[in-house]
mmCIF file with all atom_site columns, all heavy atoms in Angstrom:
data_model
loop_
_atom_site.group_PDB
_atom_site.id
_atom_site.type_symbol
_atom_site.label_atom_id
_atom_site.label_alt_id
_atom_site.label_comp_id
_atom_site.label_asym_id
_atom_site.label_entity_id
_atom_site.label_seq_id
_atom_site.pdbx_PDB_ins_code
_atom_site.Cartn_x
_atom_site.Cartn_y
_atom_site.Cartn_z
_atom_site.occupancy
_atom_site.B_iso_or_equiv
_atom_site.pdbx_formal_charge
_atom_site.auth_seq_id
_atom_site.auth_comp_id
_atom_site.auth_asym_id
_atom_site.auth_atom_id
_atom_site.pdbx_PDB_model_num
ATOM 1   N N   . ASP J 1 58 ? -10.709 6.721   5.521  1.00 0.00 ? 138 ASP J N   1
ATOM 2   C CA  . ASP J 1 58 ? -9.456  7.456   5.720  1.00 0.00 ? 138 ASP J CA  1
ATOM 3   C C   . ASP J 1 58 ? -8.226  6.568   5.915  1.00 0.00 ? 138 ASP J C   1
ATOM 4   O O   . ASP J 1 58 ? -7.155  7.063   6.252  1.00 0.00 ? 138 ASP J O   1
ATOM 5   C CB  . ASP J 1 58 ? -9.585  8.428   6.890  1.00 0.00 ? 138 ASP J CB  1
ATOM 6   C CG  . ASP J 1 58 ? -9.817  7.727   8.224  1.00 0.00 ? 138 ASP J CG  1
ATOM 7   O OD1 . ASP J 1 58 ? -10.011 6.491   8.231  1.00 0.00 ? 138 ASP J OD1 1
ATOM 8   O OD2 . ASP J 1 58 ? -9.813  8.418   9.255  1.00 0.00 ? 138 ASP J OD2 1
ATOM 9   N N   . HIS J 1 59 ? -8.367  5.273   5.711  1.00 0.00 ? 139 HIS J N   1
ATOM 10  C CA  . HIS J 1 59 ? -7.196  4.406   5.773  1.00 0.00 ? 139 HIS J CA  1
ATOM 11  C C   . HIS J 1 59 ? -7.436  3.096   5.017  1.00 0.00 ? 139 HIS J C   1
ATOM 12  O O   . HIS J 1 59 ? -8.561  2.777   4.656  1.00 0.00 ? 139 HIS J O   1
ATOM 13  C CB  . HIS J 1 59 ? -6.734  4.159   7.206  1.00 0.00 ? 139 HIS J CB  1
ATOM 14  C CG  . HIS J 1 59 ? -7.694  3.415   8.074  1.00 0.00 ? 139 HIS J CG  1
ATOM 15  N ND1 . HIS J 1 59 ? -8.820  3.990   8.609  1.00 0.00 ? 139 HIS J ND1 1
ATOM 16  C CD2 . HIS J 1 59 ? -7.679  2.147   8.511  1.00 0.00 ? 139 HIS J CD2 1
ATOM 17  C CE1 . HIS J 1 59 ? -9.459  3.098   9.354  1.00 0.00 ? 139 HIS J CE1 1
ATOM 18  N NE2 . HIS J 1 59 ? -8.780  1.970   9.299  1.00 0.00 ? 139 HIS J NE2 1
ATOM 19  N N   . ILE J 1 60 ? -6.337  2.395   4.767  1.00 0.00 ? 140 ILE J N   1
ATOM 20  C CA  . ILE J 1 60 ? -6.348  1.144   4.005  1.00 0.00 ? 140 ILE J CA  1
ATOM 21  C C   . ILE J 1 60 ? -5.621  0.082   4.819  1.00 0.00 ? 140 ILE J C   1
ATOM 22  O O   . ILE J 1 60 ? -4.587  0.372   5.431  1.00 0.00 ? 140 ILE J O   1
ATOM 23  C CB  . ILE J 1 60 ? -5.600  1.310   2.659  1.00 0.00 ? 140 ILE J CB  1
ATOM 24  C CG1 . ILE J 1 60 ? -6.282  2.348   1.780  1.00 0.00 ? 140 ILE J CG1 1
ATOM 25  C CG2 . ILE J 1 60 ? -5.469  -0.018  1.938  1.00 0.00 ? 140 ILE J CG2 1
ATOM 26  C CD1 . ILE J 1 60 ? -5.467  2.709   0.546  1.00 0.00 ? 140 ILE J CD1 1
ATOM 27  N N   . HIS J 1 61 ? -6.150  -1.130  4.814  1.00 0.00 ? 141 HIS J N   1
ATOM 28  C CA  . HIS J 1 61 ? -5.436  -2.304  5.316  1.00 0.00 ? 141 HIS J CA  1
ATOM 29  C C   . HIS J 1 61 ? -5.185  -3.198  4.113  1.00 0.00 ? 141 HIS J C   1
ATOM 30  O O   . HIS J 1 61 ? -6.093  -3.403  3.293  1.00 0.00 ? 141 HIS J O   1
ATOM 31  C CB  . HIS J 1 61 ? -6.263  -3.076  6.348  1.00 0.00 ? 141 HIS J CB  1
ATOM 32  C CG  . HIS J 1 61 ? -6.591  -2.291  7.573  1.00 0.00 ? 141 HIS J CG  1
ATOM 33  N ND1 . HIS J 1 61 ? -5.635  -1.891  8.474  1.00 0.00 ? 141 HIS J ND1 1
ATOM 34  C CD2 . HIS J 1 61 ? -7.780  -1.822  8.041  1.00 0.00 ? 141 HIS J CD2 1
ATOM 35  C CE1 . HIS J 1 61 ? -6.218  -1.224  9.454  1.00 0.00 ? 141 HIS J CE1 1
ATOM 36  N NE2 . HIS J 1 61 ? -7.526  -1.163  9.210  1.00 0.00 ? 141 HIS J NE2 1
ATOM 37  N N   . ALA J 1 62 ? -3.966  -3.710  3.999  1.00 0.00 ? 142 ALA J N   1
ATOM 38  C CA  . ALA J 1 62 ? -3.643  -4.538  2.842  1.00 0.00 ? 142 ALA J CA  1
ATOM 39  C C   . ALA J 1 62 ? -2.634  -5.614  3.210  1.00 0.00 ? 142 ALA J C   1
ATOM 40  O O   . ALA J 1 62 ? -1.782  -5.416  4.080  1.00 0.00 ? 142 ALA J O   1
ATOM 41  C CB  . ALA J 1 62 ? -3.067  -3.671  1.722  1.00 0.00 ? 142 ALA J CB  1
ATOM 42  N N   . VAL J 1 63 ? -2.751  -6.749  2.529  1.00 0.00 ? 143 VAL J N   1
ATOM 43  C CA  . VAL J 1 63 ? -1.762  -7.817  2.610  1.00 0.00 ? 143 VAL J CA  1
ATOM 44  C C   . VAL J 1 63 ? -1.250  -8.034  1.197  1.00 0.00 ? 143 VAL J C   1
ATOM 45  O O   . VAL J 1 63 ? -2.033  -8.318  0.286  1.00 0.00 ? 143 VAL J O   1
ATOM 46  C CB  . VAL J 1 63 ? -2.366  -9.129  3.170  1.00 0.00 ? 143 VAL J CB  1
ATOM 47  C CG1 . VAL J 1 63 ? -1.307  -10.224 3.200  1.00 0.00 ? 143 VAL J CG1 1
ATOM 48  C CG2 . VAL J 1 63 ? -2.953  -8.911  4.548  1.00 0.00 ? 143 VAL J CG2 1
ATOM 49  N N   . TRP J 1 64 ? 0.052   -7.869  1.029  1.00 0.00 ? 144 TRP J N   1
ATOM 50  C CA  . TRP J 1 64 ? 0.696   -8.054  -0.265 1.00 0.00 ? 144 TRP J CA  1
ATOM 51  C C   . TRP J 1 64 ? 1.745   -9.133  -0.170 1.00 0.00 ? 144 TRP J C   1
ATOM 52  O O   . TRP J 1 64 ? 2.415   -9.277  0.850  1.00 0.00 ? 144 TRP J O   1
ATOM 53  C CB  . TRP J 1 64 ? 1.443   -6.797  -0.702 1.00 0.00 ? 144 TRP J CB  1
ATOM 54  C CG  . TRP J 1 64 ? 0.643   -5.594  -1.011 1.00 0.00 ? 144 TRP J CG  1
ATOM 55  C CD1 . TRP J 1 64 ? -0.724  -5.473  -1.040 1.00 0.00 ? 144 TRP J CD1 1
ATOM 56  C CD2 . TRP J 1 64 ? 1.158   -4.314  -1.336 1.00 0.00 ? 144 TRP J CD2 1
ATOM 57  N NE1 . TRP J 1 64 ? -1.072  -4.200  -1.373 1.00 0.00 ? 144 TRP J NE1 1
ATOM 58  C CE2 . TRP J 1 64 ? 0.063   -3.456  -1.563 1.00 0.00 ? 144 TRP J CE2 1
ATOM 59  C CE3 . TRP J 1 64 ? 2.431   -3.800  -1.464 1.00 0.00 ? 144 TRP J CE3 1
ATOM 60  C CZ2 . TRP J 1 64 ? 0.230   -2.124  -1.909 1.00 0.00 ? 144 TRP J CZ2 1
ATOM 61  C CZ3 . TRP J 1 64 ? 2.587   -2.476  -1.807 1.00 0.00 ? 144 TRP J CZ3 1
ATOM 62  C CH2 . TRP J 1 64 ? 1.494   -1.649  -2.032 1.00 0.00 ? 144 TRP J CH2 1
ATOM 63  N N   . THR J 1 65 ? 1.914   -9.875  -1.266 1.00 0.00 ? 145 THR J N   1
ATOM 64  C CA  . THR J 1 65 ? 3.031   -10.801 -1.409 1.00 0.00 ? 145 THR J CA  1
ATOM 65  C C   . THR J 1 65 ? 3.880   -10.302 -2.570 1.00 0.00 ? 145 THR J C   1
ATOM 66  O O   . THR J 1 65 ? 3.378   -10.130 -3.683 1.00 0.00 ? 145 THR J O   1
ATOM 67  C CB  . THR J 1 65 ? 2.551   -12.234 -1.676 1.00 0.00 ? 145 THR J CB  1
ATOM 68  O OG1 . THR J 1 65 ? 1.724   -12.649 -0.581 1.00 0.00 ? 145 THR J OG1 1
ATOM 69  C CG2 . THR J 1 65 ? 3.728   -13.184 -1.811 1.00 0.00 ? 145 THR J CG2 1
ATOM 70  N N   . LEU J 1 66 ? 5.142   -10.041 -2.280 1.00 0.00 ? 146 LEU J N   1
ATOM 71  C CA  . LEU J 1 66 ? 6.056   -9.527  -3.289 1.00 0.00 ? 146 LEU J CA  1
ATOM 72  C C   . LEU J 1 66 ? 6.731   -10.683 -4.031 1.00 0.00 ? 146 LEU J C   1
ATOM 73  O O   . LEU J 1 66 ? 6.842   -11.791 -3.508 1.00 0.00 ? 146 LEU J O   1
ATOM 74  C CB  . LEU J 1 66 ? 7.106   -8.631  -2.643 1.00 0.00 ? 146 LEU J CB  1
ATOM 75  C CG  . LEU J 1 66 ? 6.557   -7.409  -1.905 1.00 0.00 ? 146 LEU J CG  1
ATOM 76  C CD1 . LEU J 1 66 ? 7.704   -6.564  -1.365 1.00 0.00 ? 146 LEU J CD1 1
ATOM 77  C CD2 . LEU J 1 66 ? 5.679   -6.577  -2.807 1.00 0.00 ? 146 LEU J CD2 1
ATOM 78  N N   . PRO J 1 67 ? 7.212   -10.416 -5.251 1.00 0.00 ? 147 PRO J N   1
ATOM 79  C CA  . PRO J 1 67 ? 7.876   -11.468 -6.022 1.00 0.00 ? 147 PRO J CA  1
ATOM 80  C C   . PRO J 1 67 ? 9.195   -11.891 -5.370 1.00 0.00 ? 147 PRO J C   1
ATOM 81  O O   . PRO J 1 67 ? 9.796   -11.120 -4.610 1.00 0.00 ? 147 PRO J O   1
ATOM 82  C CB  . PRO J 1 67 ? 8.152   -10.813 -7.384 1.00 0.00 ? 147 PRO J CB  1
ATOM 83  C CG  . PRO J 1 67 ? 7.398   -9.544  -7.410 1.00 0.00 ? 147 PRO J CG  1
ATOM 84  C CD  . PRO J 1 67 ? 7.093   -9.174  -6.005 1.00 0.00 ? 147 PRO J CD  1
ATOM 85  N N   . LYS J 1 68 ? 9.649   -13.083 -5.705 1.00 0.00 ? 148 LYS J N   1
ATOM 86  C CA  . LYS J 1 68 ? 10.951  -13.548 -5.215 1.00 0.00 ? 148 LYS J CA  1
ATOM 87  C C   . LYS J 1 68 ? 12.028  -12.582 -5.681 1.00 0.00 ? 148 LYS J C   1
ATOM 88  O O   . LYS J 1 68 ? 12.006  -12.102 -6.806 1.00 0.00 ? 148 LYS J O   1
ATOM 89  C CB  . LYS J 1 68 ? 11.244  -14.951 -5.738 1.00 0.00 ? 148 LYS J CB  1
ATOM 90  C CG  . LYS J 1 68 ? 10.344  -15.984 -5.140 1.00 0.00 ? 148 LYS J CG  1
ATOM 91  C CD  . LYS J 1 68 ? 10.682  -17.373 -5.605 1.00 0.00 ? 148 LYS J CD  1
ATOM 92  C CE  . LYS J 1 68 ? 9.701   -18.332 -4.956 1.00 0.00 ? 148 LYS J CE  1
ATOM 93  N NZ  . LYS J 1 68 ? 9.970   -19.711 -5.282 1.00 0.00 ? 148 LYS J NZ  1
ATOM 94  N N   . GLY J 1 69 ? 12.934  -12.278 -4.785 1.00 0.00 ? 149 GLY J N   1
ATOM 95  C CA  . GLY J 1 69 ? 14.019  -11.363 -5.096 1.00 0.00 ? 149 GLY J CA  1
ATOM 96  C C   . GLY J 1 69 ? 13.651  -9.896  -4.971 1.00 0.00 ? 149 GLY J C   1
ATOM 97  O O   . GLY J 1 69 ? 14.446  -9.026  -5.325 1.00 0.00 ? 149 GLY J O   1
ATOM 98  N N   . ASP J 1 70 ? 12.477  -9.593  -4.448 1.00 0.00 ? 150 ASP J N   1
ATOM 99  C CA  . ASP J 1 70 ? 12.012  -8.206  -4.364 1.00 0.00 ? 150 ASP J CA  1
ATOM 100 C C   . ASP J 1 70 ? 11.428  -7.954  -2.975 1.00 0.00 ? 150 ASP J C   1
ATOM 101 O O   . ASP J 1 70 ? 10.568  -8.705  -2.514 1.00 0.00 ? 150 ASP J O   1
ATOM 102 C CB  . ASP J 1 70 ? 10.952  -7.960  -5.440 1.00 0.00 ? 150 ASP J CB  1
ATOM 103 C CG  . ASP J 1 70 ? 10.573  -6.504  -5.602 1.00 0.00 ? 150 ASP J CG  1
ATOM 104 O OD1 . ASP J 1 70 ? 10.924  -5.683  -4.739 1.00 0.00 ? 150 ASP J OD1 1
ATOM 105 O OD2 . ASP J 1 70 ? 9.901   -6.198  -6.607 1.00 0.00 ? 150 ASP J OD2 1
ATOM 106 N N   . ALA J 1 71 ? 11.899  -6.889  -2.338 1.00 0.00 ? 151 ALA J N   1
ATOM 107 C CA  . ALA J 1 71 ? 11.364  -6.502  -1.025 1.00 0.00 ? 151 ALA J CA  1
ATOM 108 C C   . ALA J 1 71 ? 10.994  -5.020  -1.000 1.00 0.00 ? 151 ALA J C   1
ATOM 109 O O   . ALA J 1 71 ? 10.849  -4.435  0.060  1.00 0.00 ? 151 ALA J O   1
ATOM 110 C CB  . ALA J 1 71 ? 12.396  -6.805  0.070  1.00 0.00 ? 151 ALA J CB  1
ATOM 111 N N   . ASP J 1 72 ? 10.823  -4.417  -2.162 1.00 0.00 ? 152 ASP J N   1
ATOM 112 C CA  . ASP J 1 72 ? 10.633  -2.969  -2.263 1.00 0.00 ? 152 ASP J CA  1
ATOM 113 C C   . ASP J 1 72 ? 9.154   -2.570  -2.217 1.00 0.00 ? 152 ASP J C   1
ATOM 114 O O   . ASP J 1 72 ? 8.577   -2.125  -3.201 1.00 0.00 ? 152 ASP J O   1
ATOM 115 C CB  . ASP J 1 72 ? 11.291  -2.450  -3.540 1.00 0.00 ? 152 ASP J CB  1
ATOM 116 C CG  . ASP J 1 72 ? 11.312  -0.945  -3.617 1.00 0.00 ? 152 ASP J CG  1
ATOM 117 O OD1 . ASP J 1 72 ? 11.051  -0.293  -2.577 1.00 0.00 ? 152 ASP J OD1 1
ATOM 118 O OD2 . ASP J 1 72 ? 11.575  -0.411  -4.706 1.00 0.00 ? 152 ASP J OD2 1
ATOM 119 N N   . PHE J 1 73 ? 8.551   -2.724  -1.051 1.00 0.00 ? 153 PHE J N   1
ATOM 120 C CA  . PHE J 1 73 ? 7.143   -2.335  -0.900 1.00 0.00 ? 153 PHE J CA  1
ATOM 121 C C   . PHE J 1 73 ? 6.991   -0.823  -0.799 1.00 0.00 ? 153 PHE J C   1
ATOM 122 O O   . PHE J 1 73 ? 5.979   -0.265  -1.202 1.00 0.00 ? 153 PHE J O   1
ATOM 123 C CB  . PHE J 1 73 ? 6.494   -3.008  0.306  1.00 0.00 ? 153 PHE J CB  1
ATOM 124 C CG  . PHE J 1 73 ? 7.225   -2.800  1.604  1.00 0.00 ? 153 PHE J CG  1
ATOM 125 C CD1 . PHE J 1 73 ? 7.084   -1.636  2.334  1.00 0.00 ? 153 PHE J CD1 1
ATOM 126 C CD2 . PHE J 1 73 ? 8.058   -3.793  2.094  1.00 0.00 ? 153 PHE J CD2 1
ATOM 127 C CE1 . PHE J 1 73 ? 7.748   -1.457  3.525  1.00 0.00 ? 153 PHE J CE1 1
ATOM 128 C CE2 . PHE J 1 73 ? 8.739   -3.618  3.293  1.00 0.00 ? 153 PHE J CE2 1
ATOM 129 C CZ  . PHE J 1 73 ? 8.590   -2.447  4.009  1.00 0.00 ? 153 PHE J CZ  1
ATOM 130 N N   . SER J 1 74 ? 8.009   -0.132  -0.295 1.00 0.00 ? 154 SER J N   1
ATOM 131 C CA  . SER J 1 74 ? 7.871   1.308   -0.093 1.00 0.00 ? 154 SER J CA  1
ATOM 132 C C   . SER J 1 74 ? 7.752   2.069   -1.409 1.00 0.00 ? 154 SER J C   1
ATOM 133 O O   . SER J 1 74 ? 6.983   3.040   -1.498 1.00 0.00 ? 154 SER J O   1
ATOM 134 C CB  . SER J 1 74 ? 9.037   1.858   0.744  1.00 0.00 ? 154 SER J CB  1
ATOM 135 O OG  . SER J 1 74 ? 10.266  1.571   0.104  1.00 0.00 ? 154 SER J OG  1
ATOM 136 N N   . THR J 1 75 ? 8.460   1.656   -2.443 1.00 0.00 ? 155 THR J N   1
ATOM 137 C CA  . THR J 1 75 ? 8.322   2.304   -3.753 1.00 0.00 ? 155 THR J CA  1
ATOM 138 C C   . THR J 1 75 ? 6.924   2.094   -4.306 1.00 0.00 ? 155 THR J C   1
ATOM 139 O O   . THR J 1 75 ? 6.319   3.005   -4.873 1.00 0.00 ? 155 THR J O   1
ATOM 140 C CB  . THR J 1 75 ? 9.373   1.782   -4.748 1.00 0.00 ? 155 THR J CB  1
ATOM 141 O OG1 . THR J 1 75 ? 10.664  2.131   -4.253 1.00 0.00 ? 155 THR J OG1 1
ATOM 142 C CG2 . THR J 1 75 ? 9.176   2.382   -6.129 1.00 0.00 ? 155 THR J CG2 1
ATOM 143 N N   . ARG J 1 76 ? 6.372   0.921   -4.112 1.00 0.00 ? 156 ARG J N   1
ATOM 144 C CA  . ARG J 1 76 ? 5.022   0.650   -4.588 1.00 0.00 ? 156 ARG J CA  1
ATOM 145 C C   . ARG J 1 76 ? 4.002   1.573   -3.915 1.00 0.00 ? 156 ARG J C   1
ATOM 146 O O   . ARG J 1 76 ? 3.138   2.140   -4.560 1.00 0.00 ? 156 ARG J O   1
ATOM 147 C CB  . ARG J 1 76 ? 4.677   -0.819  -4.355 1.00 0.00 ? 156 ARG J CB  1
ATOM 148 C CG  . ARG J 1 76 ? 5.421   -1.749  -5.307 1.00 0.00 ? 156 ARG J CG  1
ATOM 149 C CD  . ARG J 1 76 ? 5.234   -3.207  -4.903 1.00 0.00 ? 156 ARG J CD  1
ATOM 150 N NE  . ARG J 1 76 ? 5.769   -4.111  -5.893 1.00 0.00 ? 156 ARG J NE  1
ATOM 151 C CZ  . ARG J 1 76 ? 7.024   -4.524  -5.914 1.00 0.00 ? 156 ARG J CZ  1
ATOM 152 N NH1 . ARG J 1 76 ? 7.898   -4.109  -5.004 1.00 0.00 ? 156 ARG J NH1 1
ATOM 153 N NH2 . ARG J 1 76 ? 7.432   -5.370  -6.860 1.00 0.00 ? 156 ARG J NH2 1
#
Side-chain angles (χ1 to χ4, degrees):
D138 64 353
H139 65 284
I140 298 171
H141 298 293
V143 178
W144 293 355
T145 301
L146 300 183
K148 291 183 181 183
D150 190 347
D152 188 13
F153 54 81
S154 58
T155 297
R156 288 171 172 88

